[in-house]
Amino acid sequence: MSRLRFGLWRAFFVLSALFILIGGPQHPGGTMAEMLAHPKWVPSHALMLAGFLAFLAGLILYRRSVPLPDRTRKWVRIAAIGTALQAVEMAFHTAASVDHANLMAGRATPILTTHLWLAVILYPIFALTVVGLIIAAMRDRALGSPWIGWLGIVGVLAHGAAAPLVIVFEIPWARILFPFVTLFALWALLAALWPLRIPAGRRTPELLPLDSREVATG
């Protein structure tokens, strides 16, 4: 049985997708010095940061407003932690432009260096936690569908691998993996619009029009 009812978590998933889809393509190219000096560095990453924060809010609201199977509930919590860590990295990522002068002068670049090491560690954590959520939710038929799940999985795995491959292993072609985060954004957008598929016998707030939990949150 499938049914679509409005929940505030859906709105935050949509916002997350839009912020990432708008901000991601604005990322400047070139050397690190050229990118940090580019006027698009801050707005691009600020939009990405807003996207991850919106996704985090959506996960929290989703977990609170929809009764979930234990497996999906656990992975929503884990993915929320991974997303919060990704947002921390993106905050340093956005602020790294303040080190442009230091980079050009050969001085220490504390914000830039912190961003780079956080990216190496936290991009993969975000990827694995979100993949876990997508797979668990597909199995429980609690969010999205196998028809769209592959978008999120490919998107976050490619994006999560990009930072270690580029920064640690210095593989230039791996830069093409960063934009794959837009596939994750498309998954979030479609998941927000996808009816919840509930196995027979399970009643959720999205199937009860007057349920106070769904009304209170969305």
Side-chain angles (χ1 to χ4, degrees), residues 63 68-80 133 136:
R63 187 170 184 269
L68 299 170
D70 290 341
R71 175 170 50 190
T72 295
R73 177 172 293 274
K74 179 187 75 172
W75 277 103
V76 171
R77 183 172 62 250
I78 294 171
L133 166 63

Side-chain angles (χ1 to χ4, degrees), residues 11-209:
F12 277 97
F13 270 43
V14 171
L15 282 176
S16 173
L18 293 178
F19 283 139
I20 293 173
L21 289 171
I22 295 171
Q26 294 186 43
H27 195 292
T31 65
M32 181 59 71
E34 291 170 340
M35 289 190 291
L36 292 178
H38 199 284
K40 290 289 188 180
W41 177 274
V42 171
S44 170
H45 292 98
L47 285 167
M48 295 288 290
L49 173 59
F52 291 125
L53 290 174
F55 185 63
L56 175 60
L59 289 175
I60 293 171
L61 291 169
Y62 171 68
R63 187 170 184 269
R64 290 179 177 178
S65 63
V66 180
L68 299 170
D70 290 341
R71 175 170 50 190
T72 295
R73 177 172 293 274
K74 179 187 75 172
W75 277 103
V76 171
R77 183 172 62 250
I78 294 171
I81 294 171
T83 303
L85 294 174
Q86 177 69 63
V88 170
E89 190 286 326
M90 193 54 61
F92 280 95
H93 204 140
T94 305
S97 60
V98 302
D99 271 338
H100 176 255
N102 291 333
L103 180 64
M104 296 300 293
R107 297 190 295 265
T109 56
I111 304 300
L112 173 61
T113 301
T114 300
H115 141 55
L116 293 175
W117 281 110
L118 285 179
V120 169
I121 298 169
L122 299 184
Y123 272 41
I125 290 176
F126 171 69
L128 294 176
T129 59
V130 172
V131 166
L133 166 63
I134 294 172
I135 293 174
M138 286 194 303
R139 289 179 174 175
D140 291 336
R141 303 202 301 177
L143 179 66
S145 160
W147 291 102
I148 62 173
W150 67 271
L151 287 169
I153 292 172
V154 172
V156 294
L157 285 180
H159 187 255
L165 291 176
V166 171
I167 298 169
V168 177
F169 297 102
E170 300 182 348
I171 301 175
W173 64 261
R175 292 179 181 273
I176 66 174
L177 298 176
F178 285 111
F180 275 70
V181 73
T182 56
L183 292 181
F184 159 72
L186 288 174
W187 169 83
L189 178 61
L190 292 172
L193 303 176
W194 209 272
L196 294 186
R197 300 182 61 199
I198 308 300
R202 181 183 297 162
R203 292 163 64 85
T204 75
E206 293 218 347
L207 295 179
L208 296 174

